[in-house]
């Protein structure tokens, strides 16, 4: 079994066992806290993507790494009708087809889509909290190029990432890469960056902060989310502050949303 096969098996097992926002989110913080976190994500996605001068009801949209279908639903809330989804795992695709019976879902490795979709088939592609799970740099670059192949000229690529202002942080299941490196891969693929702003501020791991704050805040989050009731209370308490911070800050120590346009 190759390393890539091991990663796919990992996600296959994880989503088969827990097909919720917890399964695709920050699992250590519990379901209740993740639900508050995803409320913020939904609002930021709606505001940033909704601000684009696009009639989404006429657009063809692809969501990469659909997971539970959270962003499929987010696109629908913006008025998109022609939404297609794909995921690395069969566990997700089977459930997505049941949840959204009128939509198309395919099992696809976006780093090697093997002709499942046509060139320039979509007006927009989203890939939320997915790319940093591609731990091989060459496969990451291949995924970005594959996405560019699917977006029409003038179309949009919307994704979330941990755009570091420091050296890369490498783990078994996630790699956080420098902003400059990611922008270079986007440029090579034919994308121009048109927007970048915070997706979250305090409700996620502080990967782009100094080591002291990162460990202190991470330990506090895990402590207050040890149980579902305390996790719900922590999420409810942070939610209004998080909403304010993502709207008023230009940089985030954690996940940000980026919107690119295909040249």
């Amino acid at each position: 079994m190759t390393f890539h096969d091991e990663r796919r098996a990992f996600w296959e097992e994880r989503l088969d066992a827990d097909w919720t926002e917890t399964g695709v989110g920050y699992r250590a913080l519990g379901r209740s806290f993740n639900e508050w976190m995803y409320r913020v994500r939904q609002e930021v996605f709606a505001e940033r993507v909704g601000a684009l001068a696009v009639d989404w009801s006429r657009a063809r949209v692809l969501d990469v790494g659909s997971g539970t279908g959270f962003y499929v639903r987010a696109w629908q809330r913006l008025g998109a009708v022609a939404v297609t989804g794909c995921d690395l795992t069969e566990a997700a695709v089977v459930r997505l087809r049941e949840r959204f019976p009128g939509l198309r879902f395919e099992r696809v490795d976006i780093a090697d889509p093997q002709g499942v979709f046509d060139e320039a088939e979509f007006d927009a592609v989203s890939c939320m909290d997915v790319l940093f799970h591609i731990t091989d740099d060459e496969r990451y670059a291949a995924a970005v190029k594959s996405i560019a192949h699917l977006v029409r000229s003038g179309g949009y690529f919307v994704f979330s990432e941990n755009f570091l202002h420091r050296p890369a942080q490498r783990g078994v299941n996630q790699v956080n890469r420098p902003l400059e490196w990611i922008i270079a891969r986007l440029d090579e693929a034919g994308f121009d960056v048109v927007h970048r702003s915070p997706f979250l501020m305090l409700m996620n791991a502080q990967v782009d902060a100094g080591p002291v704050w990162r460990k202190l805040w991470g330990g506090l989050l895990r402590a207050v989310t040890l149980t579902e009731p305390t996790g719900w209370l922590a999420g409810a308490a942070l939610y209004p502050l998080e909403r304010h911070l993502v709207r008023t800050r230009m940089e985030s120590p954690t996940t940000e949303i980026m919107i690119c346009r295909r040249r």
Side-chain angles (χ1 to χ4, degrees):
M1 180 180 288
T2 67
F3 180 77
H4 174 62
D5 291 333
E6 290 177 356
R7 294 299 87 214
R8 180 188 167 192
F10 167 82
W11 286 106
E12 199 76 67
E13 181 179 352
R14 177 163 168 168
L15 291 185
D16 187 53
D18 185 9
W19 194 60
T20 68
E21 275 66 53
T22 309
V24 297
Y26 193 165
R27 199 171 190 177
L29 301 184
R31 182 171 184 174
S32 296
F33 188 86
N34 269 278
E35 288 174 350
W36 282 106
M37 186 194 302
Y38 270 87
R39 286 182 66 177
V40 178
R41 283 185 165 110
Q42 159 60 32
E43 292 173 10
V44 175
F45 183 90
E47 289 174 4
R48 302 296 184 261
V49 180
L52 298 173
V54 178
D55 180 357
W56 294 115
S57 67
R58 298 175 179 270
R60 299 159 300 166
V61 173
L62 172 67
D63 182 55
V64 174
S66 295
T68 64
F70 183 87
Y71 292 101
V72 172
R73 190 76 73 194
W75 279 114
Q76 290 180 325
R77 291 191 180 104
L78 286 172
V81 177
V83 183
T84 300
C86 67
D87 199 89
L88 179 65
T89 69
E90 191 68 25
V93 170
V94 169
R95 290 171 170 85
L96 286 164
R97 288 171 178 166
E98 294 173 352
R99 177 169 287 182
F100 302 94
L103 302 183
R104 176 190 177 193
F105 292 94
E106 301 287 351
R107 197 200 69 76
V108 171
D109 176 359
I110 196 58
D112 185 19
Q114 299 183 348
V116 174
F117 303 116
D118 295 331
E119 182 176 358
E121 183 174 345
F122 301 99
D123 300 293
V125 173
S126 58
C127 188
M128 312 305 292
D129 294 351
V130 170
L131 291 178
F132 48 62
H133 289 302
I134 302 177
T135 56
D136 181 86
D137 288 347
E138 291 185 3
R139 291 189 69 83
Y140 186 107
V144 174
K145 288 181 179 179
S146 294
I147 291 169
H149 181 77
L150 301 178
V151 181
R152 67 166 177 80
S153 177
Y156 291 96
F157 174 36
V158 183
F159 72 113
S160 56
E161 254 285 8
N162 297 314
F163 301 103
L164 300 189
H165 295 84
R166 59 189 69 232
Q169 302 163 358
R170 297 186 178 273
V172 175
N173 298 315
Q174 181 170 324
V175 175
N176 303 316
R177 298 174 172 88
L179 171 64
E180 291 80 5
W181 187 92
I182 295 171
I183 289 178
R185 304 293 81 74
L186 292 165
D187 181 63
E188 290 170 0
F191 284 118
D192 293 321
V193 178
V194 297
H195 176 85
R196 178 175 64 89
S197 63
F199 204 32
L200 294 167
M201 288 293 296
L202 296 174
M203 299 182 82
N204 205 357
Q206 306 286 282
V207 295
D208 205 21
V212 174
W213 172 249
R214 182 179 178 180
K215 290 181 180 178
L216 179 66
W217 187 252
L220 179 60
L221 277 184
R222 286 188 291 274
V224 299
T225 57
L226 282 175
T227 70
E228 288 299 317
T230 59
W232 189 94
L233 289 171
L238 277 175
Y239 173 70
L241 175 60
E242 191 80 337
R243 292 183 70 210
H244 172 73
L245 291 174
V246 295
R247 287 171 170 82
T248 58
R249 299 300 178 93
M250 300 298 293
E251 297 279 347
S252 170
T254 184
T255 315
E256 296 179 323
I257 185 170
M258 180 177 280
I259 301 175
C260 303
R261 193 167 189 182
R262 184 75 164 91
R263 289 195 290 270

